Amino acid sequence: MIQTAEEKEKLLLVGVSAHDGDDAEDSLAELADLVETAGAISAGGVLQKRERIHPATYIGKGKTEELKELIWETQADGIVCDDELTPAQLRNLSELLDVKVMDRTLIILDIFAMRASTSEGKIQVELAQLKYRASRLTGLGKSLSRQGGGIGTRGPGEKKLEMDRRLIGSRISQLKKELEEIRRHREVTRVQRAKGNMPVAAIVGYTNAGKSTLLNMLTDADVLEEDMLFATLDPTTRLLSLSKDQQILLTDTVGFIRKLPHHLIEAFKSTLEEAKYADYIIHVVDAANPQADKQMHIVYETLRSLGIEDKKIVTLFNKQDKRTEDEPLHDFMADYALQISAKYGTGLDEVKQVLEELLREDKILIERLIPYQEAGILQLVRKNGELLEEEYQPDGIFIRAYVPMEVYGRMNF
């Protein structure tokens, strides 16, 4: 019997540290996780300290020669640079090293392509990939040759490079139209939610912080949860029922990461806008990660770049079961901060209590005797407010409830 197994690519990781104290080493370690998630093996890493990235070859001439020797020693199939390479850097490194050259963006795009399961996710990933490729088309060697002869091909012909650009441009236009249609559909859904006065909380956080686990534990959402980067890509929205009549929609969003490619932010704008249009932000932090503070900073920077500000934030320091340090974490950007373990359900009752408090903040506590001829208002109270107490008396119905301002304004009897 002949057994066959898919051989994993061996890749060397390359990074540049511009100054002391930057997170270049942590970023390179994260790149190793990304490479592993993409299905390859990290064969080692090279980190060069220099004032700025080399405009032509990313790293300096001496480091390039050192890297060439390391490739030969490790029998690596290629390299992955920790920053997005320019077309010139990509071409020059490929010529100098004679191996496959990739960058962080390409690895992330590859992972996203593996994870996308819905039609929207696939469209978004393809659009990001095409935008990435469009800026890196080069006309070298055989790619500049004319198309083959035959009827219909006589005349000046068309260079392969020009044909590729035209085809990619056409496909990008088509995908943008499809995404615009999806965006309009999302807008209709949001309007329907607004009409129903259903509050929405978007779950955001660094990739692998435990967002999907939290959603599953709170709502039985049955979303894939694995200890890997970008385990889930497509957003999921589920209803969470709190005490009494209170309900809130929870939306899981794609995880953030260092140097999130702008191609992805642009392509996934319709998905990330779920956080923009949400009423509240639930920020999940991997408290067991030594880089938790930096990851929190990256999440807030990404939210700012998307124009998501001035929202009530609940920060959940997750994975307390894995924490080894006693020093508590703080988030001065948050309105509420809780310590939880989503995997074991620790602290989730407190999370629900905080959400209940948030929902009550915009409501008025009333104690009112409603005449029986105005009993129809009770339906509005149940639908849009929180009915705490209800008692039928000879003169009417006594209620104690939290109601929104629009319902309160109708109680002028």
Side-chain angles (χ1 to χ4, degrees):
M1 183 185 292
I2 299 173
Q3 291 185 336
T4 58
E6 190 176 338
E7 209 169 297
K8 291 188 176 183
E9 287 183 282
K10 287 172 66 179
L11 303 173
L12 282 171
L13 314 180
V14 186
V16 172
S17 175
H19 54 82
D20 292 333
D22 62 11
D23 63 349
E25 287 187 16
D26 299 327
S27 186
L28 204 64
E30 186 176 80
L31 182 62
D33 291 335
L34 286 168
V35 164
E36 186 180 333
T37 304
I41 299 170
S42 170
V46 173
L47 185 65
Q48 183 178 29
K49 291 185 180 292
R50 53 180 295 128
E51 289 184 3
R52 63 187 181 92
I53 290 170
H54 196 288
T57 53
Y58 184 66
I59 52 175
K61 185 179 178 182
K63 211 66 174 177
T64 305
E65 289 298 321
E66 183 185 321
L67 184 59
K68 197 170 186 178
E69 290 180 16
L70 193 58
I71 290 168
W72 182 82
E73 287 173 10
T74 59
Q75 295 294 297
D77 300 296
I79 69 163
V80 184
C81 296
D82 196 32
D83 295 275
E84 189 168 317
L85 298 175
T86 65
Q89 289 169 340
L90 193 65
R91 182 177 62 250
N92 293 335
L93 278 174
S94 297
E95 289 176 354
L96 288 168
L97 301 174
D98 197 28
V99 291
K100 184 194 289 188
V101 176
M102 295 173 284
D103 59 18
R104 187 186 185 93
T105 300
L106 192 63
I107 296 295
I108 293 174
L109 287 171
D110 190 67
I111 295 168
F112 271 50
M114 285 194 302
R115 296 281 183 261
S117 57
T118 64
S119 58
E120 181 187 4
K122 289 172 183 176
I123 290 170
Q124 288 167 326
V125 170
E126 186 182 351
L127 180 60
Q129 286 177 323
L130 289 175
K131 283 184 174 180
Y132 175 85
R133 283 180 55 198
S135 63
R136 284 160 181 76
L137 285 175
T138 52
L140 297 173
K142 291 183 180 177
S143 31
L144 277 178
S145 63
R146 305 284 181 183
Q147 293 186 80
I151 296 172
T153 62
R154 295 185 180 93
E158 183 180 29
K159 293 179 182 178
K160 188 176 186 303
L161 177 62
E162 292 164 356
M163 184 179 69
D164 286 347
R165 280 193 179 131
R166 179 172 55 79
L167 290 173
I168 287 176
S170 174
R171 181 62 179 158
I172 285 174
S173 297
Q174 182 187 342
L175 291 173
K176 280 183 175 178
K177 286 177 184 175
E178 291 179 27
L179 275 183
E180 182 60 27
E181 187 62 35
I182 291 170
R183 190 193 65 77
R184 281 198 293 269
H185 179 72
R186 278 188 186 278
E187 195 60 41
V188 170
T189 306
R190 289 191 192 110
V191 170
Q192 293 296 330
R193 286 178 191 165
K195 283 181 181 176
N197 289 320
M198 182 64 73
V200 180
I203 304 173
V204 304
Y206 209 79
T207 181
N208 203 31
K211 299 183 298 299
S212 297
T213 306
L214 176 70
L215 186 67
N216 285 341
M217 290 296 288
L218 287 173
T219 67
D220 298 322
D222 196 27
V223 176
L224 173 69
E225 49 182 89
E226 287 187 31
D227 187 17
M228 61 171 63
L229 304 180
F230 302 117
T232 52
L233 177 60
D234 301 297
T236 304
T237 300
R238 292 290 184 271
L239 184 69
L240 171 62
S241 295
L242 302 168
S243 65
K244 301 290 181 181
D245 299 320
Q246 297 206 92
Q247 291 181 319
I248 187 170
L249 288 171
L250 299 183
T251 298
D252 188 12
T253 60
V254 63
F256 300 153
I257 198 167
R258 280 182 185 88
K259 305 172 185 175
L260 190 64
H262 66 275
H263 311 284
L264 279 179
I265 292 177
E266 190 62 33
F268 278 78
K269 210 161 233 178
S270 62
T271 302
L272 293 168
E273 278 182 346
E274 288 294 324
K276 187 174 182 178
Y277 292 105
D279 300 290
Y280 310 103
I281 299 292
I282 298 175
H283 179 196
V284 183
V285 180
D286 181 356
N289 193 307
Q291 305 300 319
D293 283 323
K294 288 182 180 177
Q295 291 182 355
M296 286 163 60
H297 176 72
I298 289 162
V299 168
Y300 284 123
E301 283 294 306
T302 308
L303 288 175
R304 268 192 290 272
S305 72
L306 293 165
I308 302 170
E309 295 178 287
D310 302 324
K311 292 186 186 292
K312 288 288 178 74
I313 297 172
V314 179
T315 294
L316 306 180
F317 292 110
N318 191 27
K319 304 188 183 181
Q320 292 294 329
D321 53 295
K322 290 185 177 180
R323 267 203 102 194
T324 54
E325 298 177 20
D326 296 328
E327 191 70 26
L329 287 165
H330 300 282
D331 183 3
F332 300 105
M333 301 284 288
D335 299 278
Y336 296 88
L338 300 171
Q339 297 185 5
I340 69 162
S341 172
K343 184 177 179 181
Y344 296 103
T346 309
L348 296 192
D349 287 338
E350 287 82 357
V351 173
K352 291 179 182 178
Q353 287 171 14
V354 166
L355 291 175
E356 287 172 10
E357 286 178 31
L358 284 172
L359 294 181
R360 285 171 182 162
E361 279 183 2
D362 300 324
K363 294 173 183 173
I364 302 165
L365 178 64
I366 61 163
E367 293 182 348
R368 185 73 60 89
L369 185 68
I370 299 175
Y372 282 108
Q373 62 267 30
E374 302 289 346
I377 199 76
L378 271 178
Q379 185 61 27
L380 278 176
V381 173
R382 288 194 182 96
K383 184 180 178 182
N384 302 312
E386 182 186 359
L387 189 60
L388 302 173
E389 191 179 329
E390 180 182 6
E391 184 183 342
Y392 287 80
Q393 297 178 358
D395 299 332
I397 308 164
F398 174 80
I399 65 165
R400 185 167 169 269
Y402 284 98
V403 296
M405 184 61 74
E406 57 268 24
V407 175
Y408 180 75
R410 295 179 64 172
M411 293 183 167
N412 53 358
F413 40 77

